[in-house]
Amino acid sequence: MSAHLFQLRDIRFGYDPDHPVLDGVDFALTTGERVALCGANGSGKTTLLHVMVGLLTPSSGSVVAFGRERRCEGDFHEVRAQAGLLFQDSDDQLFCPTVAEDVAFGPLNLGQSRAEARRAADDALAQVGLDGFGHRVTHKLSGGQKRLVALASVLAMRPQVLLLDEPTNGLDRDARARLLGVLASLPQAMVVIAHDDDALAALTRRRVILEAGRLLG
Amino acid sequence: MSSVLPLGITLSPLARLDPRSRVLAAFAFAVGVVWCQSVAALTFACALAAGLAVLARLPPLSTLRRVLAVEGFMLLTLASLPFTMGGEPVFTLLGFAAGGDGLHRAGILLLKSSAVLLATLALLGTLDMPALGHALARLGLPVRFVALFLFTVRYIDVLHREYARLRLAMRARGFRPRASLHCWRSLGHLFGMLLVGSLERSERIDAAMRCRGFDGRFHLLDEHRPGRLDWGFGAVQTASLLLLAVLDVW
């Protein structure tokens, strides 16, 4: 058994065939590893994370996740439960009227009973330090709280890997410090898009740079 | 959930009802009132609705304003009915005769709309939108419809903020609404941008939902069971509606 959670080989992808965003990317992530993914604006960092969970299909190359090659939408259902993607804009991620419903959305989709889902939601909210926020109305939360709730909604599915797309983007200093504290306390392997955030990069051990469609280690 | 309210605030009796009871009651009341034709029955219905408003602890002033706003919409119809329906002339205005039939019909319309509006405000207006959505889902409304409703509740605010941001950016560059081609074109761009933005956002939301295992089915988290209060309320409501029917026929 390989300790690789993800293994991407020669991934090519382009929104426009003449201008490939990813042009032969190789990437591997092992259990418990934390990697900072850097690169300029538009270099394809978000695209790479979306390819990893099958939201985008590469034109060539292979994605091996959790020991199996993943090709079609059906293959990726399991991957998405194991690899939680935190979106850049929390308003994209939080769509339920109340916090509890949003955090329990994933567990309910995984087939858990209401009681189990509620417990998973409570646990995840406690993990990000938002105990008792369940009844709050999602769109009335502050930006920092929204980000933490979005993180809780990912954690509630008990993933092995967290894929974080600029998690501190748009947060003030206090909210950032709080989020960094929560992230440091989590046991999961992580791929963090750290634009130019040194504190965020400090969470990780390895740093890779996406440049001209290729990943430089 | 009384546990989440700050201390010192007690729930109105209506707020303790299961949201489903309130939706059903509002629906039954509206159907009953629309079906009634006699002034006596409709006056009784208005009294019932006022009773509900008191039970729901609706703020009197703003409620009155809302009711008047809706009556205002109907003003033209109400004012023209007496002059167009014919019947025994009751009075004349500027040489036009106001007929008794029309006057009667206008009165009935006024009573009906007031009763339904007041009862709806009391029963549903005090319900928060998510609770209303869930009540509709549990009453068997198609899940897609309920999801659409809940999405609207959730994203109308996000959309409004996007609109406000774009509008601000336009003003920052000296845009002032005028009746000019440039102005109309700019506003067109603004709404076009909002539309494109919403479409893209909906795609991102869909992606985020798929990331959390969404497969087209919505599961509801909370579970309510109608209690004694609900059955009691239902019984009183049914009796009132029966009384309404008897009054109407009689």
Side-chain angles (χ1 to χ4, degrees):
Chain A
M1 173 182 153
S2 122
H4 282 141
L5 298 171
F6 275 97
Q7 199 150 28
L8 279 69
R9 275 201 209 95
D10 199 27
I11 297 291
R12 282 164 210 278
F13 178 88
Y15 297 95
D16 160 11
D18 295 337
H19 302 97
V21 181
L22 305 177
D23 195 12
V25 166
D26 295 298
F27 178 64
L29 183 75
T30 54
T31 310
E33 193 183 21
R34 295 181 170 191
V35 181
L37 177 56
C38 305
N41 279 336
S43 60
K45 304 183 294 291
T46 301
T47 304
L48 182 60
L49 293 193
H50 285 206
V51 165
M52 287 170 78
V53 292
L55 291 173
L56 297 172
T57 312
S59 52
S60 70
S62 73
V63 178
V64 177
F66 307 102
R68 269 184 50 202
E69 176 157 9
R70 314 284 175 168
R71 286 207 181 88
C72 60
E73 171 76 12
D75 290 344
F76 278 102
H77 288 165
E78 195 191 340
V79 177
R80 291 176 196 151
Q82 297 292 326
L85 176 59
L86 186 73
F87 282 65
Q88 236 179 72
D89 183 351
S90 302
D91 272 325
D92 292 339
Q93 203 158 357
L94 304 176
F95 68 94
C96 293
T98 68
V99 169
E101 284 172 291
D102 225 304
V103 181
F105 175 73
L108 285 171
N109 285 333
L110 294 181
Q112 295 184 12
S113 73
R114 284 176 187 163
E116 284 169 332
R118 195 174 277 281
R119 210 170 318 124
D122 287 343
D123 289 350
L125 283 172
Q127 246 182 319
V128 300
L130 291 180
D131 315 66
F133 264 63
H135 66 274
R136 297 280 287 269
V137 175
T138 321
H139 69 260
K140 290 188 181 156
L141 297 176
S142 72
Q145 288 168 337
K146 274 186 193 166
R147 195 66 50 86
L148 287 171
V149 171
L151 180 61
S153 76
V154 168
L155 291 174
M157 299 178 78
R158 306 211 165 93
Q160 293 187 51
V161 184
L162 293 175
L163 307 174
L164 309 168
D165 195 346
E166 296 193 33
T168 52
N169 191 21
L171 299 187
D172 64 28
R173 203 162 50 159
D174 289 349
R176 251 186 55 165
R178 196 167 166 195
L179 181 71
L180 287 170
V182 172
L183 289 178
S185 73
L186 295 173
Q188 277 92 350
M190 288 178 196
V191 179
V192 190
I193 295 183
H195 203 44
D196 50 7
D197 188 330
D198 295 336
L200 199 54
L203 282 176
T204 59
R205 285 278 183 78
R206 184 153 74 94
R207 181 184 161 97
V208 291
I209 299 166
L210 201 52
E211 204 179 289
R214 289 175 174 267
L215 207 57
L216 317 170
Chain B
M1 265 192 281
S2 55
S3 59
V4 301
L5 284 174
L7 286 175
I9 296 183
T10 51
L11 286 170
S12 77
L14 276 191
R16 280 191 302 240
L17 285 174
D18 187 307
R20 276 173 296 182
S21 310
R22 293 161 69 174
V23 173
L24 283 179
F27 183 69
F29 187 81
V31 169
V33 168
V34 167
W35 176 73
C36 278
Q37 292 302 332
S38 83
V39 173
L42 287 171
T43 310
F44 175 63
C46 274
L48 276 181
L52 283 172
V54 171
L55 271 181
R57 297 189 194 147
L58 289 184
L61 264 181
S62 63
T63 307
L64 191 69
R65 241 196 322 263
R66 282 175 169 185
V67 173
L68 285 179
V70 174
E71 310 295 10
F73 266 118
M74 298 170 46
L75 204 63
L76 200 65
T77 319
L78 290 178
S80 62
L81 267 178
F83 302 100
T84 51
M85 284 275 295
E88 197 92 333
V90 179
F91 64 89
T92 55
L93 187 69
L94 301 174
F96 294 100
D101 288 358
L103 217 53
H104 179 76
R105 182 55 61 92
I108 281 181
L109 260 181
L110 192 67
L111 285 173
K112 276 188 186 184
S113 61
S114 307
V116 172
L117 187 65
L118 205 55
T120 310
L121 280 176
L123 287 164
L124 301 184
T126 48
L127 205 57
D128 60 18
M129 290 297 131
L132 178 60
H134 289 175
L136 292 174
R138 272 193 236 91
L139 284 171
L141 235 74
V143 174
R144 269 164 207 262
F145 174 81
V146 175
L148 207 59
F149 175 73
L150 290 177
F151 274 120
T152 308
V153 171
R154 170 66 182 86
Y155 283 104
I156 200 127
D157 179 58
V158 174
L159 261 177
H160 182 255
R161 265 184 292 148
E162 226 152 68
Y163 167 77
R165 241 193 333 261
L166 288 174
R167 224 19 230 275
L168 205 69
M170 288 169 81
R171 269 175 47 205
R173 286 196 282 160
F175 176 79
R176 265 186 295 160
R178 280 197 200 92
S180 69
L181 193 60
H182 164 73
C183 168
W184 291 115
R185 197 185 294 119
S186 307
L187 283 179
H189 288 164
L190 168 68
F191 284 104
M193 217 47 216
L194 267 182
L195 218 62
V196 172
S198 314
L199 188 69
E200 285 186 342
R201 185 179 287 281
S202 72
E203 279 165 2
R204 293 198 300 272
I205 295 167
D206 176 62
M209 287 171 76
R210 280 193 288 143
C211 276
R212 291 200 277 155
F214 179 66
D215 59 356
R217 280 172 303 163
F218 284 94
H219 310 269
L220 291 176
L221 184 60
D222 52 348
E223 208 168 4
H224 280 286
R225 284 221 175 70
R228 253 187 304 178
L229 192 65
D230 293 283
W231 295 116
F233 180 74
V236 173
Q237 159 101 7
T238 312
S240 313
L241 284 179
L242 279 176
L243 191 58
L244 194 68
V246 170
L247 268 175
D248 191 58
V249 172
W250 187 47

